Amino acid sequence: MGNYNGKFITLEGIEGVGKTTNRDFIRSVLETTGNAIVETREPGGTPLGEALRELLLHHRHAGMCADAELLMMFAARAEHLDKVILPALHAGKVVLCDRFTEATYAYQGGGRGLNDKKIAELETWVQGDLRPDLTIILDAPVATGRQRAGARSAPDRIEKEENDFFERVRHTYLELARHYPNRIALVDASVALDKVHDQIVHVLAEHGIIDSPDNSPDK
Ligand code: Z5A
């Protein structure tokens, strides 16, 4: 499954840290390199995945049991891999995905308290050895992310959780970055957007996805 010519880049972080905003920025940077780009998101990215997303985020399913939530995330992911992500990677494209399995470790593992082993078993079942080539975790204090997200739209079923839940989610993301420093990069998203962009450009260059800005002919 992991044998392909494309690049798989995922964006992660608690709500409101700027995943969507910075996905647009990364796309604009990658476009200058001539790469074919597929932008997508989880849960979602396919008609089935978007239908599952609606079920997962709607308030009428308040109280959904944690295992059902976990299995639906992976059901959406299996379809997403089959229909969108793997075909694009095999065609040599860059897949830019708003959230992936690190979100499952953070939300269903850290947030809901499900055992990591359960998540790892599903990860292996659904993904085999496929892992993102690069995951960028945008990190900011919970209050900052919630304030930004709250100013933008009404909270969905998961966004309704208490601050403690999001503190555990953030903590798990930080742990993941510490455990997998080669494929997960941490970016301080609490600062002004142009400073976030500078960090992202640096990370993309460090991972060989773009040329280093220090090597540009203008320097
Ligand atoms: N979920 C899960 O539980 N398990 C899983 O396996 C997966 C997902 C895959 C849907 O995710 C939910 O699914 C999510 C986790 C769960 N629930 N929660 N919480 P989503 O990604 O679609 O939704 P989200 O996390 O709620 O993302 P968001 O609210 O869309 O936030 P964002 O994309 O990170 O932020 P944004 O829209 O780019 O920015 C928010 C605002 O802040 C906007 O007005 C920006 O202009 C502003 N902004 C951004 N950056 C800055 C800076 N640096 N300074 C100032 N203002 C800024």
Side-chain angles (χ1 to χ4, degrees), residues 12-19 22 136-148 170 174 186-197 199-200:
E12 297 279 0
I14 57 167
E15 62 163 330
V17 284
K19 294 176 298 299
N22 288 296
I136 298 176
I137 296 180
L138 298 163
D139 178 60
V142 169
T144 307
R146 299 203 88 177
Q147 191 183 12
R148 287 183 194 161
R170 182 185 183 204
L174 296 175
L186 200 60
V187 161
D188 178 4
S190 68
V191 295
L193 205 47
D194 59 331
K195 301 280 180 246
V196 178
H197 290 172
Q199 295 174 73
I200 288 175

Side-chain angles (χ1 to χ4, degrees), residues 10-199:
T10 61
L11 278 166
E12 297 279 0
I14 57 167
E15 62 163 330
V17 284
K19 294 176 298 299
T20 310
T21 309
N22 288 296
R23 193 179 81 184
D24 292 346
F25 171 71
I26 294 173
R27 188 199 55 231
S28 70
V29 170
L30 293 179
E31 273 168 357
T32 64
T33 66
N35 282 303
I37 298 153
V38 172
E39 275 187 279
T40 187
R41 69 171 180 181
E42 290 208 351
T46 64
L48 176 64
E50 292 295 327
L52 287 166
R53 179 189 178 92
E54 205 275 327
L55 290 172
L56 279 159
L57 300 186
H58 201 283
H59 296 289
R60 69 180 174 277
H61 302 298
M64 175 186 298
C65 90
D67 278 343
E69 188 177 273
L70 173 68
L71 291 166
M72 283 166 74
M73 291 295 175
F74 270 104
R77 186 161 297 137
E79 179 78 357
H80 197 198
L81 281 162
D82 183 65
K83 298 289 189 305
V84 176
I85 297 175
L86 287 171
L89 292 176
H90 287 297
K93 297 178 184 174
V94 177
V95 175
L96 198 49
C97 189
D98 198 330
R99 297 193 183 280
F100 194 63
T101 304
E102 274 61 40
T104 314
Y105 282 103
Y107 282 80
Q108 282 65 52
R112 300 274 186 239
L114 290 180
N115 192 315
D116 278 1
K117 276 194 193 151
K118 262 188 190 173
I119 302 173
E121 277 171 23
L122 289 167
E123 182 180 38
T124 303
W125 181 15
V126 168
Q127 295 167 223
D129 59 1
L130 179 85
R131 300 291 177 274
D133 296 295
L134 170 63
T135 294
I136 298 176
I137 296 180
L138 298 163
D139 178 60
V142 169
T144 307
R146 299 203 88 177
Q147 191 183 12
R148 287 183 194 161
R152 195 212 44 207
S153 60
D156 60 39
R157 186 183 64 87
I158 297 179
E159 288 169 342
K160 278 262 194 191
E161 291 294 334
E162 301 291 331
N163 279 346
D164 283 1
F165 174 90
F166 293 102
E167 292 292 355
R168 293 196 297 278
V169 171
R170 182 185 183 204
H171 175 78
T172 308
Y173 273 133
L174 296 175
E175 285 289 297
L176 287 168
R178 210 167 56 80
H179 269 92
Y180 303 103
N182 293 334
R183 66 171 183 87
I184 301 184
L186 200 60
V187 161
D188 178 4
S190 68
V191 295
L193 205 47
D194 59 331
K195 301 280 180 246
V196 178
H197 290 172
D198 289 349
Q199 295 174 73

